[in-house]
Amino acid sequence: MKRAVTALVCAASACVACVHPGSVERAYGGDVVEGRFVSPAAYAAFLRGALAEAEGHGDDAVDAYVQAAHDDPASPEPWARIAHVSCGSGGGAGAPAAAADAVARGEAAARRAVALDDTYAPAWVAVAECAAARGDASGERAAADRALRLDPRGDDATVLLARSETGEASPSEREALVALTVTAHDPRVAWGALARWAEAHGDVALWTRALVELARVAPDRRTFVASAAEQLAGEGYLVEARAVAAAALDADRRPLAPTYALAPRLAIDEAIARDDGDSVRRRAVRGHVSLEEAAGRALLAGRRDLARDLASELAAADPGATGARLVLAAAGGGDLRAVANPRPGDAPASAAALVAFGVALLQAAPASAPEDIAALPHEAVVPGDDPVVRPAVELVSRKAAPPELLPPDGRVELAALTGTPAPSSEQGLDARHRYLALALTHPGDPATRTLAARLHGVASVDPVVAAADALQLLGTDAIVAHDAPRLLLARNPADPLLAAVALRLAEKVGDRDVARRARETLTAMGLPRRAVE
Protein backbone atom coordinates (compact mmCIF):
# COMPACT_ATOMS: atom_id res chain seq x y z
CA MET A 1 0.00 0.00 0.00
CA LYS A 2 2.80 2.41 0.85
CA ARG A 3 4.36 1.82 -2.56
CA ALA A 4 1.07 2.51 -4.32
CA VAL A 5 0.56 5.74 -2.37
CA THR A 6 4.09 6.86 -3.20
CA ALA A 7 3.54 6.22 -6.92
CA LEU A 8 0.29 8.15 -6.94
CA VAL A 9 1.76 11.03 -4.99
CA CYS A 10 4.53 11.20 -7.60
CA ALA A 11 1.85 11.32 -10.28
CA ALA A 12 0.14 14.12 -8.40
CA SER A 13 3.29 16.22 -8.25
CA ALA A 14 4.29 15.55 -11.84
CA CYS A 15 1.17 15.38 -13.93
CA VAL A 16 -1.23 18.10 -12.79
CA ALA A 17 -0.98 21.11 -15.06
CA CYS A 18 -2.44 24.57 -14.64
CA VAL A 19 -3.47 27.59 -16.70
CA HIS A 20 -0.96 29.77 -14.88
CA PRO A 21 1.59 31.01 -17.45
CA GLY A 22 4.58 30.49 -15.15
CA SER A 23 6.56 27.25 -14.98
CA VAL A 24 8.46 25.33 -12.34
CA GLU A 25 10.99 22.48 -12.27
CA ARG A 26 10.26 19.23 -10.45
CA ALA A 27 12.07 15.96 -9.88
CA TYR A 28 10.19 12.95 -11.29
CA GLY A 29 11.49 9.40 -11.73
CA GLY A 30 15.07 10.62 -11.25
CA ASP A 31 14.73 13.30 -13.95
CA VAL A 32 14.21 17.06 -13.68
CA VAL A 33 11.22 18.12 -15.73
CA GLU A 34 9.65 21.48 -16.40
CA GLY A 35 5.95 21.98 -16.01
CA ARG A 36 3.37 24.62 -15.55
CA PHE A 37 2.63 26.00 -12.14
CA VAL A 38 0.12 23.98 -10.13
CA SER A 39 -2.27 25.93 -7.95
CA PRO A 40 -2.35 24.85 -4.29
CA ALA A 41 -6.07 24.03 -4.56
CA ALA A 42 -5.62 21.78 -7.62
CA TYR A 43 -2.63 20.03 -6.12
CA ALA A 44 -4.39 19.44 -2.79
CA ALA A 45 -7.46 18.02 -4.51
CA PHE A 46 -5.42 15.72 -6.71
CA LEU A 47 -3.40 14.51 -3.74
CA ARG A 48 -6.59 13.72 -1.83
CA GLY A 49 -7.78 11.73 -4.82
CA ALA A 50 -4.48 9.84 -5.12
CA LEU A 51 -4.52 8.87 -1.45
CA ALA A 52 -8.17 7.85 -1.54
CA GLU A 53 -7.56 5.75 -4.66
CA ALA A 54 -4.57 3.99 -3.11
CA GLU A 55 -6.67 3.17 -0.04
CA GLY A 56 -9.49 1.74 -2.14
CA HIS A 57 -12.02 4.53 -1.58
CA GLY A 58 -13.20 4.92 -5.17
CA ASP A 59 -16.06 7.37 -4.63
CA ASP A 60 -13.91 9.68 -2.50
CA ALA A 61 -11.17 9.52 -5.13
CA VAL A 62 -13.58 10.50 -7.92
CA ASP A 63 -14.94 13.42 -5.89
CA ALA A 64 -11.43 14.69 -5.25
CA TYR A 65 -10.38 14.29 -8.88
CA VAL A 66 -13.49 16.17 -10.02
CA GLN A 67 -12.47 19.02 -7.74
CA ALA A 68 -8.92 18.91 -9.17
CA ALA A 69 -10.35 19.08 -12.71
CA HIS A 70 -12.46 22.08 -11.70
CA ASP A 71 -9.44 23.86 -10.21
CA ASP A 72 -7.20 22.93 -13.16
CA PRO A 73 -9.47 22.78 -16.26
CA ALA A 74 -6.62 22.49 -18.79
CA SER A 75 -5.17 19.25 -17.40
CA PRO A 76 -6.25 15.86 -18.78
CA GLU A 77 -4.83 13.93 -15.81
CA PRO A 78 -7.70 14.31 -13.31
CA TRP A 79 -10.14 13.11 -15.99
CA ALA A 80 -7.88 10.16 -16.82
CA ARG A 81 -7.77 9.21 -13.15
CA ILE A 82 -11.57 9.45 -12.89
CA ALA A 83 -11.85 7.08 -15.86
CA HIS A 84 -9.31 4.69 -14.32
CA VAL A 85 -11.14 4.54 -10.99
CA SER A 86 -14.51 4.14 -12.71
CA CYS A 87 -13.52 1.59 -15.36
CA GLY A 88 -10.24 0.07 -14.24
CA SER A 89 -10.70 -0.14 -10.48
CA GLY A 90 -14.32 0.40 -9.60
CA GLY A 91 -16.23 -0.33 -12.76
CA GLY A 92 -17.01 -3.90 -11.77
CA ALA A 93 -17.87 -3.26 -8.14
CA GLY A 94 -21.31 -3.14 -6.61
CA ALA A 95 -24.64 -3.93 -8.22
CA PRO A 96 -24.85 -4.31 -12.01
CA ALA A 97 -26.63 -0.95 -12.37
CA ALA A 98 -24.00 0.79 -10.28
CA ALA A 99 -21.27 -0.84 -12.35
CA ALA A 100 -22.88 0.34 -15.59
CA ASP A 101 -23.17 3.86 -14.20
CA ALA A 102 -19.52 3.82 -13.18
CA VAL A 103 -18.41 2.72 -16.65
CA ALA A 104 -20.55 5.39 -18.29
CA ARG A 105 -19.01 8.00 -16.00
CA GLY A 106 -15.55 6.66 -16.80
CA GLU A 107 -16.11 6.78 -20.55
CA ALA A 108 -17.24 10.40 -20.35
CA ALA A 109 -14.16 11.27 -18.30
CA ALA A 110 -11.85 9.46 -20.75
CA ARG A 111 -13.34 11.44 -23.64
CA ARG A 112 -12.72 14.67 -21.74
CA ALA A 113 -9.10 13.66 -21.14
CA VAL A 114 -8.49 12.89 -24.82
CA ALA A 115 -10.22 16.10 -25.90
CA LEU A 116 -7.89 18.11 -23.66
CA ASP A 117 -4.74 16.41 -24.97
CA ASP A 118 -4.86 13.59 -27.52
CA THR A 119 -1.08 13.11 -27.23
CA TYR A 120 -1.33 12.27 -23.53
CA ALA A 121 -0.78 8.48 -23.24
CA PRO A 122 -2.64 7.97 -19.90
CA ALA A 123 -5.75 9.44 -21.51
CA TRP A 124 -5.69 6.63 -24.10
CA VAL A 125 -5.00 4.11 -21.34
CA ALA A 126 -8.22 5.37 -19.74
CA VAL A 127 -10.08 4.89 -23.04
CA ALA A 128 -8.73 1.33 -23.24
CA GLU A 129 -9.75 0.51 -19.66
CA CYS A 130 -13.30 1.68 -20.28
CA ALA A 131 -13.48 -0.29 -23.53
CA ALA A 132 -12.38 -3.37 -21.60
CA ALA A 133 -15.00 -2.70 -18.92
CA ARG A 134 -17.78 -2.85 -21.49
CA GLY A 135 -16.30 -5.91 -23.24
CA ASP A 136 -15.00 -4.15 -26.35
CA ALA A 137 -11.78 -6.09 -26.93
CA SER A 138 -10.94 -4.47 -30.27
CA GLY A 139 -11.51 -0.99 -28.86
CA GLU A 140 -9.36 -1.83 -25.86
CA ARG A 141 -6.52 -3.01 -28.06
CA ALA A 142 -6.69 -0.01 -30.40
CA ALA A 143 -6.59 2.49 -27.54
CA ALA A 144 -3.81 0.60 -25.76
CA ASP A 145 -1.81 0.53 -29.00
CA ARG A 146 -2.25 4.30 -29.31
CA ALA A 147 -1.09 4.82 -25.73
CA LEU A 148 1.96 2.63 -26.23
CA ARG A 149 2.95 4.49 -29.37
CA LEU A 150 2.75 7.75 -27.45
CA ASP A 151 4.69 6.37 -24.50
CA PRO A 152 6.68 3.20 -25.32
CA ARG A 153 7.65 2.89 -21.64
CA GLY A 154 4.05 2.96 -20.46
CA ASP A 155 3.51 0.04 -18.10
CA ASP A 156 -0.27 0.43 -17.93
CA ALA A 157 -0.68 0.35 -21.71
CA THR A 158 1.47 -2.76 -21.94
CA VAL A 159 -0.62 -4.47 -19.27
CA LEU A 160 -3.76 -3.73 -21.25
CA LEU A 161 -2.20 -5.15 -24.40
CA ALA A 162 -1.23 -8.24 -22.46
CA ARG A 163 -4.80 -8.74 -21.32
CA SER A 164 -6.15 -8.46 -24.86
CA GLU A 165 -6.48 -11.85 -26.53
CA THR A 166 -7.68 -10.63 -29.93
CA GLY A 167 -5.53 -11.20 -32.98
CA GLU A 168 -2.40 -13.26 -33.42
CA ALA A 169 0.62 -13.08 -31.17
CA SER A 170 2.94 -10.38 -32.47
CA PRO A 171 6.72 -10.83 -32.18
CA SER A 172 7.04 -7.09 -31.67
CA GLU A 173 4.68 -7.28 -28.68
CA ARG A 174 6.73 -10.13 -27.22
CA GLU A 175 9.96 -8.20 -27.63
CA ALA A 176 8.43 -5.03 -26.19
CA LEU A 177 7.17 -6.88 -23.14
CA VAL A 178 10.50 -8.61 -22.53
CA ALA A 179 12.31 -5.27 -22.88
CA LEU A 180 9.84 -3.70 -20.48
CA THR A 181 11.03 -5.97 -17.69
CA VAL A 182 14.40 -4.21 -17.89
CA THR A 183 13.27 -0.63 -18.41
CA ALA A 184 10.04 -0.46 -16.44
CA HIS A 185 9.89 1.71 -13.35
CA ASP A 186 7.97 -1.08 -11.61
CA PRO A 187 9.24 -4.57 -12.57
CA ARG A 188 6.26 -6.10 -10.75
CA VAL A 189 3.94 -4.59 -13.34
CA ALA A 190 6.27 -5.59 -16.17
CA TRP A 191 6.65 -9.25 -15.20
CA GLY A 192 2.94 -9.49 -14.43
CA ALA A 193 2.13 -8.09 -17.87
CA LEU A 194 4.55 -10.50 -19.49
CA ALA A 195 2.98 -13.44 -17.67
CA ARG A 196 -0.52 -12.47 -18.82
CA TRP A 197 0.60 -11.91 -22.41
CA ALA A 198 2.45 -15.24 -22.53
CA GLU A 199 -0.49 -17.15 -21.04
CA ALA A 200 -2.95 -15.55 -23.45
CA HIS A 201 -0.79 -16.48 -26.44
CA GLY A 202 0.23 -19.97 -25.31
CA ASP A 203 3.92 -19.10 -24.94
CA VAL A 204 4.63 -21.58 -22.15
CA ALA A 205 8.39 -20.99 -21.96
CA LEU A 206 7.90 -17.24 -21.62
CA TRP A 207 4.99 -17.70 -19.22
CA THR A 208 7.17 -19.87 -17.00
CA ARG A 209 10.03 -17.39 -17.02
CA ALA A 210 7.72 -14.47 -16.24
CA LEU A 211 6.05 -16.30 -13.35
CA VAL A 212 9.40 -17.26 -11.82
CA GLU A 213 10.60 -13.65 -12.02
CA LEU A 214 7.29 -12.30 -10.74
CA ALA A 215 7.61 -14.44 -7.63
CA ARG A 216 11.11 -13.06 -7.11
CA VAL A 217 10.28 -9.35 -7.46
CA ALA A 218 6.78 -9.51 -5.96
CA PRO A 219 6.61 -12.08 -3.13
CA ASP A 220 3.16 -10.78 -2.23
CA ARG A 221 1.91 -12.28 -5.52
CA ARG A 222 3.14 -15.77 -4.73
CA THR A 223 -0.40 -17.15 -4.45
CA PHE A 224 -1.07 -16.00 -8.02
CA VAL A 225 2.15 -17.72 -9.09
CA ALA A 226 1.26 -20.89 -7.14
CA SER A 227 -2.14 -21.00 -8.83
CA ALA A 228 -0.48 -20.68 -12.23
CA ALA A 229 1.85 -23.57 -11.34
CA GLU A 230 -1.15 -25.78 -10.65
CA GLN A 231 -2.68 -24.72 -13.95
CA LEU A 232 0.51 -25.58 -15.82
CA ALA A 233 0.57 -29.02 -14.21
CA GLY A 234 -3.07 -29.58 -15.13
CA GLU A 235 -2.24 -28.88 -18.77
CA GLY A 236 0.66 -31.33 -18.87
CA TYR A 237 3.63 -28.98 -18.40
CA LEU A 238 4.98 -30.75 -15.35
CA VAL A 239 8.62 -29.59 -15.52
CA GLU A 240 7.54 -25.97 -15.95
CA ALA A 241 4.94 -26.31 -13.20
CA ARG A 242 7.56 -27.54 -10.76
CA ALA A 243 9.90 -24.64 -11.54
CA VAL A 244 7.11 -22.09 -11.06
CA ALA A 245 5.88 -23.72 -7.85
CA ALA A 246 9.43 -23.77 -6.49
CA ALA A 247 9.72 -20.03 -7.16
CA ALA A 248 6.44 -19.40 -5.33
CA LEU A 249 7.53 -21.39 -2.26
CA ASP A 250 10.99 -19.83 -2.18
CA ALA A 251 9.72 -16.26 -2.57
CA ASP A 252 8.67 -15.78 1.05
CA ARG A 253 9.47 -17.43 4.36
CA ARG A 254 5.86 -17.31 5.44
CA PRO A 255 3.73 -20.41 4.82
CA LEU A 256 1.68 -20.51 1.65
CA ALA A 257 -2.09 -20.43 2.05
CA PRO A 258 -3.29 -23.98 2.83
CA THR A 259 -5.82 -23.79 -0.01
CA TYR A 260 -2.94 -24.58 -2.37
CA ALA A 261 -2.27 -28.30 -1.94
CA LEU A 262 -0.74 -29.22 -5.30
CA ALA A 263 1.75 -26.35 -5.70
CA PRO A 264 3.82 -27.21 -2.60
CA ARG A 265 4.05 -30.82 -3.76
CA LEU A 266 5.24 -29.68 -7.16
CA ALA A 267 7.90 -27.54 -5.47
CA ILE A 268 8.99 -30.44 -3.29
CA ASP A 269 9.25 -32.71 -6.34
CA GLU A 270 11.51 -30.13 -8.00
CA ALA A 271 13.87 -30.33 -5.01
CA ILE A 272 13.64 -34.14 -4.90
CA ALA A 273 14.71 -34.31 -8.55
CA ARG A 274 17.86 -32.39 -7.56
CA ASP A 275 18.33 -34.53 -4.42
CA ASP A 276 18.23 -31.30 -2.40
CA GLY A 277 17.07 -32.34 1.05
CA ASP A 278 17.34 -28.85 2.54
CA SER A 279 14.99 -27.41 -0.07
CA VAL A 280 12.60 -30.32 0.46
CA ARG A 281 12.42 -29.60 4.19
CA ARG A 282 12.07 -25.84 3.74
CA ARG A 283 9.33 -26.14 1.15
CA ALA A 284 7.49 -28.76 3.16
CA VAL A 285 7.22 -26.33 6.07
CA ARG A 286 6.12 -23.43 3.89
CA GLY A 287 3.63 -25.57 2.00
CA HIS A 288 1.97 -27.30 4.99
CA VAL A 289 3.26 -30.67 3.75
CA SER A 290 4.45 -33.30 6.23
CA LEU A 291 7.92 -34.77 6.07
CA GLU A 292 6.45 -38.24 5.66
CA GLU A 293 4.61 -37.03 2.55
CA ALA A 294 7.90 -35.66 1.25
CA ALA A 295 9.61 -38.96 2.10
CA GLY A 296 6.94 -40.94 0.28
CA ARG A 297 7.34 -38.74 -2.76
CA ALA A 298 11.10 -39.22 -2.70
CA LEU A 299 10.60 -42.98 -2.61
CA LEU A 300 8.13 -42.92 -5.50
CA ALA A 301 10.69 -40.85 -7.45
CA GLY A 302 13.37 -43.50 -6.85
CA ARG A 303 15.37 -41.42 -4.32
CA ARG A 304 15.66 -44.08 -1.64
CA ASP A 305 18.46 -42.46 0.35
CA LEU A 306 16.64 -39.16 0.56
CA ALA A 307 13.42 -40.95 1.46
CA ARG A 308 15.16 -42.79 4.30
CA ASP A 309 16.77 -39.60 5.61
CA LEU A 310 13.47 -37.73 5.73
CA ALA A 311 11.51 -40.63 7.21
CA SER A 312 14.20 -41.36 9.81
CA GLU A 313 14.12 -37.78 11.07
CA LEU A 314 10.37 -37.91 11.49
CA ALA A 315 10.28 -41.39 13.04
CA ALA A 316 12.86 -40.32 15.63
CA ALA A 317 10.86 -37.23 16.53
CA ASP A 318 7.42 -38.86 16.39
CA PRO A 319 7.18 -42.64 16.94
CA GLY A 320 3.47 -42.42 16.04
CA ALA A 321 4.18 -41.22 12.50
CA THR A 322 2.66 -44.11 10.55
CA GLY A 323 3.84 -42.87 7.17
CA ALA A 324 7.45 -42.60 8.29
CA ARG A 325 7.44 -46.26 9.36
CA LEU A 326 5.84 -47.27 6.05
CA VAL A 327 8.46 -45.42 4.02
CA LEU A 328 11.35 -46.88 6.03
CA ALA A 329 9.97 -50.38 5.56
CA ALA A 330 9.32 -49.85 1.85
CA ALA A 331 12.82 -48.45 1.39
CA GLY A 332 14.29 -51.70 2.70
CA GLY A 333 14.47 -51.11 6.39
CA GLY A 334 11.80 -53.35 7.90
CA ASP A 335 9.20 -56.12 7.69
CA LEU A 336 6.45 -54.83 5.40
CA ARG A 337 3.71 -57.11 6.75
CA ALA A 338 4.49 -56.23 10.36
CA VAL A 339 4.57 -52.49 9.68
CA ALA A 340 1.19 -52.69 7.98
CA ASN A 341 -0.53 -53.48 11.29
CA PRO A 342 -2.03 -50.19 12.58
CA ARG A 343 -1.37 -49.29 16.21
CA PRO A 344 -3.68 -47.40 18.56
CA GLY A 345 -2.93 -43.69 18.56
CA ASP A 346 -1.07 -43.71 15.26
CA ALA A 347 -1.73 -40.79 12.94
CA PRO A 348 -3.10 -41.50 9.45
CA ALA A 349 -0.40 -42.06 6.86
CA SER A 350 0.14 -39.44 4.20
CA ALA A 351 -1.08 -40.34 0.72
CA ALA A 352 2.39 -40.55 -0.83
CA ALA A 353 3.71 -42.70 2.02
CA LEU A 354 0.76 -45.09 1.72
CA VAL A 355 1.05 -45.42 -2.06
CA ALA A 356 4.82 -45.89 -1.96
CA PHE A 357 4.34 -48.59 0.68
CA GLY A 358 1.56 -50.19 -1.38
CA VAL A 359 3.79 -50.40 -4.45
CA ALA A 360 6.54 -52.08 -2.39
CA LEU A 361 4.11 -54.43 -0.66
CA LEU A 362 2.54 -55.45 -3.96
CA GLN A 363 5.98 -56.49 -5.21
CA ALA A 364 6.96 -58.32 -2.01
CA ALA A 365 3.68 -59.94 -0.93
CA PRO A 366 0.99 -59.49 -3.60
CA ALA A 367 -1.47 -61.87 -1.99
CA SER A 368 -1.69 -59.92 1.25
CA ALA A 369 -1.42 -56.41 -0.19
CA PRO A 370 -5.16 -55.65 -0.47
CA GLU A 371 -6.06 -56.42 3.13
CA ASP A 372 -2.91 -54.83 4.51
CA ILE A 373 -3.35 -51.54 2.66
CA ALA A 374 -7.08 -51.35 3.34
CA ALA A 375 -6.41 -51.59 7.08
CA LEU A 376 -4.21 -48.49 7.14
CA PRO A 377 -5.83 -45.11 7.82
CA HIS A 378 -4.53 -42.50 5.42
CA GLU A 379 -4.93 -38.95 4.18
CA ALA A 380 -6.63 -38.18 0.87
CA VAL A 381 -4.70 -38.14 -2.39
CA VAL A 382 -4.51 -34.62 -3.81
CA PRO A 383 -6.25 -34.29 -7.21
CA GLY A 384 -3.82 -33.64 -10.05
CA ASP A 385 -0.86 -35.06 -8.12
CA ASP A 386 0.45 -37.35 -10.88
CA PRO A 387 3.40 -38.95 -9.00
CA VAL A 388 0.91 -40.28 -6.43
CA VAL A 389 -2.30 -40.60 -8.44
CA ARG A 390 -0.89 -42.75 -11.25
CA PRO A 391 0.64 -45.49 -9.03
CA ALA A 392 -2.52 -45.33 -6.90
CA VAL A 393 -4.56 -46.10 -10.03
CA GLU A 394 -2.38 -49.14 -10.66
CA LEU A 395 -2.86 -50.34 -7.07
CA VAL A 396 -6.63 -50.03 -7.36
CA SER A 397 -6.72 -51.65 -10.80
CA ARG A 398 -4.83 -54.63 -9.40
CA LYS A 399 -7.24 -54.86 -6.44
CA ALA A 400 -4.40 -54.00 -4.09
CA ALA A 401 -6.13 -50.87 -2.73
CA PRO A 402 -9.76 -49.80 -2.37
CA PRO A 403 -11.28 -47.53 -5.06
CA GLU A 404 -11.96 -44.91 -2.39
CA LEU A 405 -8.23 -44.13 -2.45
CA LEU A 406 -8.58 -42.37 -5.81
CA PRO A 407 -9.46 -38.70 -6.36
CA PRO A 408 -11.65 -37.78 -9.38
CA ASP A 409 -8.80 -37.75 -11.90
CA GLY A 410 -7.65 -41.15 -10.70
CA ARG A 411 -11.14 -42.57 -11.21
CA VAL A 412 -11.13 -41.34 -14.81
CA GLU A 413 -7.75 -42.98 -15.45
CA LEU A 414 -9.04 -46.19 -13.86
CA ALA A 415 -12.02 -46.19 -16.23
CA ALA A 416 -9.75 -45.73 -19.25
CA LEU A 417 -7.41 -48.46 -18.04
CA THR A 418 -9.96 -51.11 -17.13
CA GLY A 419 -12.71 -50.38 -19.63
CA THR A 420 -15.26 -49.59 -16.95
CA PRO A 421 -17.76 -46.69 -17.26
CA ALA A 422 -16.23 -43.26 -16.73
CA PRO A 423 -17.51 -41.04 -13.89
CA SER A 424 -20.43 -38.89 -14.99
CA SER A 425 -19.15 -35.70 -13.33
CA GLU A 426 -16.18 -33.68 -14.54
CA GLN A 427 -15.87 -31.68 -11.32
CA GLY A 428 -12.44 -31.66 -9.74
CA LEU A 429 -10.64 -32.57 -12.97
CA ASP A 430 -7.73 -30.70 -14.48
CA ALA A 431 -7.65 -30.04 -18.24
CA ARG A 432 -5.90 -33.31 -19.11
CA HIS A 433 -8.29 -35.53 -17.22
CA ARG A 434 -11.34 -33.58 -18.37
CA TYR A 435 -10.16 -34.34 -21.90
CA LEU A 436 -9.68 -38.02 -21.02
CA ALA A 437 -13.17 -38.19 -19.51
CA LEU A 438 -14.75 -36.56 -22.56
CA ALA A 439 -12.79 -38.82 -24.92
CA LEU A 440 -14.35 -41.78 -23.10
CA THR A 441 -17.92 -40.46 -22.93
CA HIS A 442 -18.35 -37.81 -25.67
CA PRO A 443 -15.49 -38.25 -28.14
CA GLY A 444 -17.17 -36.31 -30.95
CA ASP A 445 -18.38 -33.29 -28.96
CA PRO A 446 -17.05 -29.80 -29.74
CA ALA A 447 -15.82 -29.50 -26.13
CA THR A 448 -13.69 -32.60 -26.64
CA ARG A 449 -12.21 -31.26 -29.86
CA THR A 450 -11.49 -27.92 -28.19
CA LEU A 451 -9.54 -29.60 -25.41
CA ALA A 452 -7.72 -31.79 -27.95
CA ALA A 453 -6.51 -28.69 -29.76
CA ARG A 454 -5.59 -26.91 -26.54
CA LEU A 455 -3.52 -29.82 -25.25
CA HIS A 456 -1.99 -30.84 -28.56
CA GLY A 457 1.41 -29.45 -27.57
CA VAL A 458 1.89 -31.95 -24.71
CA ALA A 459 0.53 -35.05 -26.43
CA SER A 460 4.05 -36.27 -27.21
CA VAL A 461 5.15 -36.19 -23.56
CA ASP A 462 2.02 -36.63 -21.46
CA PRO A 463 0.56 -40.16 -21.33
CA VAL A 464 -2.89 -38.98 -20.25
CA VAL A 465 -3.26 -36.67 -23.25
CA ALA A 466 -1.79 -39.29 -25.58
CA ALA A 467 -4.32 -41.85 -24.33
CA ALA A 468 -7.16 -39.35 -24.70
CA ASP A 469 -6.13 -38.60 -28.29
CA ALA A 470 -6.27 -42.31 -29.14
CA LEU A 471 -9.59 -42.84 -27.38
CA GLN A 472 -11.09 -39.91 -29.24
CA LEU A 473 -10.04 -41.52 -32.53
CA LEU A 474 -11.58 -44.83 -31.47
CA GLY A 475 -14.79 -43.20 -30.29
CA THR A 476 -15.43 -41.25 -33.48
CA ASP A 477 -14.68 -44.08 -35.94
CA ALA A 478 -11.95 -41.94 -37.47
CA ILE A 479 -9.30 -43.57 -39.62
CA VAL A 480 -6.51 -44.88 -37.41
CA ALA A 481 -3.04 -44.99 -38.92
CA HIS A 482 -1.65 -48.53 -39.01
CA ASP A 483 1.45 -47.56 -36.99
CA ALA A 484 -0.52 -45.63 -34.32
CA PRO A 485 -0.67 -48.57 -31.84
CA ARG A 486 3.06 -49.24 -32.16
CA LEU A 487 3.96 -45.57 -31.69
CA LEU A 488 1.70 -45.25 -28.65
CA LEU A 489 3.07 -48.36 -26.94
CA ALA A 490 6.65 -47.33 -27.72
CA ARG A 491 6.29 -44.15 -25.66
CA ASN A 492 6.43 -46.19 -22.47
CA PRO A 493 5.77 -49.95 -22.77
CA ALA A 494 5.54 -50.20 -18.97
CA ASP A 495 2.75 -47.62 -18.64
CA PRO A 496 -0.49 -49.56 -18.08
CA LEU A 497 -2.73 -46.78 -19.40
CA LEU A 498 -0.80 -46.53 -22.66
CA ALA A 499 -0.68 -50.32 -22.96
CA ALA A 500 -4.44 -50.64 -22.46
CA VAL A 501 -5.24 -48.00 -25.08
CA ALA A 502 -2.58 -49.30 -27.48
CA LEU A 503 -4.24 -52.73 -27.22
CA ARG A 504 -7.56 -51.25 -28.33
CA LEU A 505 -5.88 -49.41 -31.20
CA ALA A 506 -4.04 -52.58 -32.25
CA GLU A 507 -7.29 -54.53 -32.33
CA LYS A 508 -8.82 -51.77 -34.43
CA VAL A 509 -6.11 -51.88 -37.11
CA GLY A 510 -5.33 -55.60 -36.80
CA ASP A 511 -1.78 -55.28 -35.49
CA ARG A 512 -1.38 -58.64 -33.76
CA ASP A 513 2.21 -58.02 -32.68
CA VAL A 514 1.40 -54.83 -30.77
CA ALA A 515 -1.75 -56.41 -29.35
CA ARG A 516 0.31 -59.34 -28.03
CA ARG A 517 2.95 -57.09 -26.45
CA ALA A 518 0.31 -54.86 -24.87
CA ARG A 519 -1.46 -57.90 -23.39
CA GLU A 520 1.83 -59.17 -22.01
CA THR A 521 2.44 -55.85 -20.28
CA LEU A 522 -1.03 -55.77 -18.77
CA THR A 523 -0.95 -59.44 -17.73
CA ALA A 524 2.46 -59.03 -16.10
CA MET A 525 1.01 -56.22 -14.05
CA GLY A 526 -1.78 -58.45 -12.81
CA LEU A 527 -4.56 -56.34 -14.25
CA PRO A 528 -8.12 -57.66 -14.42
CA ARG A 529 -8.96 -59.88 -17.38
CA ARG A 530 -11.35 -57.32 -18.93
CA ALA A 531 -8.46 -54.87 -19.31
CA VAL A 532 -6.48 -57.42 -21.31
CA GLU A 533 -9.19 -58.76 -23.61
Side-chain angles (χ1 to χ4, degrees):
M1 180 63 72
K2 181 177 179 182
R3 186 170 191 162
V5 172
T6 302
L8 288 168
V9 170
C10 287
S13 66
C15 300
V16 179
C18 183
V19 294
H20 194 286
S23 63
V24 295
E25 291 183 344
R26 301 184 183 87
Y28 176 58
D31 300 319
V32 176
V33 296
E34 184 174 299
R36 288 184 293 174
F37 173 77
V38 180
S39 72
Y43 177 80
F46 195 93
L47 181 60
R48 287 197 305 273
L51 293 171
E53 182 182 346
E55 293 170 0
H57 304 306
D59 290 340
D60 292 341
V62 168
D63 290 344
Y65 289 140
V66 168
Q67 183 63 48
H70 179 269
D71 293 333
D72 189 7
S75 174
E77 177 63 8
W79 294 110
R81 298 312 302 175
I82 291 169
H84 171 71
V85 172
S86 302
C87 297
S89 300
D101 289 344
V103 172
R105 177 184 66 198
E107 288 185 301
R111 288 194 296 269
R112 290 285 295 271
V114 169
L116 285 167
D117 186 354
D118 64 0
T119 67
Y120 183 56
W124 288 103
V125 169
V127 173
E129 287 181 317
C130 290
R134 69 171 186 275
D136 180 4
S138 61
E140 175 192 6
R141 189 174 186 84
D145 274 331
R146 179 75 177 269
L148 202 57
R149 286 197 301 272
L150 291 167
D151 180 11
R153 295 200 307 168
D155 292 358
D156 290 339
T158 309
V159 169
L160 287 166
L161 278 174
R163 289 176 180 169
S164 175
E165 298 184 27
T166 60
E168 295 296 323
S170 164
S172 62
E173 287 178 15
R174 190 182 197 274
E175 292 168 5
L177 279 161
V178 172
L180 181 64
T181 64
V182 179
T183 62
H185 292 298
D186 189 348
R188 296 155 43 99
V189 174
W191 285 114
L194 189 60
R196 283 188 290 269
W197 186 95
E199 178 188 4
H201 294 92
D203 192 336
V204 175
L206 190 61
W207 188 20
T208 300
R209 176 187 171 191
L211 289 167
V212 169
E213 291 297 327
L214 182 61
R216 180 180 62 82
V217 301
D220 58 314
R221 300 203 63 191
R222 65 201 296 246
T223 55
F224 168 80
V225 176
S227 178
E230 295 186 352
Q231 182 181 342
L232 280 165
E235 296 192 1
Y237 298 101
L238 192 57
V239 173
E240 294 84 355
R242 288 174 176 174
V244 171
L249 267 292
D250 291 345
D252 197 315
R253 293 185 178 184
R254 292 172 296 178
L256 189 69
T259 51
Y260 295 94
L262 180 57
R265 287 163 170 79
L266 291 167
I268 288 170
D269 290 345
E270 190 276 340
I272 288 173
R274 295 184 290 105
D275 210 20
D276 184 350
D278 290 339
S279 290
V280 169
R281 295 175 181 88
R282 182 176 65 252
R283 292 170 184 174
V285 171
R286 294 180 185 180
H288 305 279
V289 176
S290 67
L291 271 186
E292 70 172 61
E293 171 75 8
R297 305 183 77 81
L299 187 56
L300 287 169
R303 303 282 184 173
R304 286 181 175 270
D305 290 342
L306 179 58
R308 276 193 291 263
D309 288 345
L310 296 169
S312 296
E313 291 174 22
L314 184 59
D318 180 9
T322 305
R325 295 200 313 273
L326 297 180
V327 170
L328 287 173
D335 182 347
L336 273 64
R337 293 293 312 280
V339 173
N341 294 322
R343 303 183 313 196
D346 280 356
S350 74
L354 178 78
V355 171
F357 176 78
V359 170
L361 185 61
L362 191 60
Q363 295 171 349
S368 64
E371 60 188 55
D372 289 336
I373 295 175
L376 290 166
H378 59 84
E379 297 172 353
V381 178
V382 172
D385 187 7
D386 267 27
V388 179
V389 171
R390 304 213 69 219
V393 170
E394 185 177 341
L395 289 175
V396 174
S397 69
R398 297 176 66 175
K399 305 297 184 182
E404 293 75 22
L405 177 65
L406 299 179
D409 51 331
R411 292 195 288 272
V412 172
E413 283 196 40
L414 182 67
L417 173 61
T418 60
T420 53
S424 57
S425 173
E426 298 172 31
Q427 289 189 347
L429 298 179
D430 57 25
R432 296 176 306 136
H433 289 90
R434 192 160 64 251
Y435 177 35
L436 182 62
L438 287 172
L440 286 167
T441 57
H442 301 87
D445 277 14
T448 312
R449 291 196 295 270
T450 298
L451 276 172
R454 173 179 163 189
L455 300 173
H456 176 72
V458 299
S460 62
V461 295
D462 186 90
V464 174
V465 176
D469 280 347
L471 288 169
Q472 187 191 21
L473 284 176
L474 289 167
T476 55
D477 290 327
I479 297 175
V480 179
H482 192 271
D483 62 348
R486 176 180 57 81
L487 293 175
L488 185 64
L489 187 63
R491 293 186 182 194
N492 184 357
D495 188 310
L497 177 61
L498 293 181
V501 178
L503 173 59
R504 294 180 60 182
L505 281 177
E507 292 172 340
K508 173 83 172 180
V509 302
D511 190 329
R512 295 182 179 180
D513 179 61
V514 170
R516 175 185 56 77
R517 288 190 285 127
R519 285 194 186 95
E520 288 174 353
T521 296
L522 296 171
T523 302
M525 294 177 139
L527 291 174
R529 185 175 181 82
R530 64 175 176 275
V532 182
E533 293 178 341

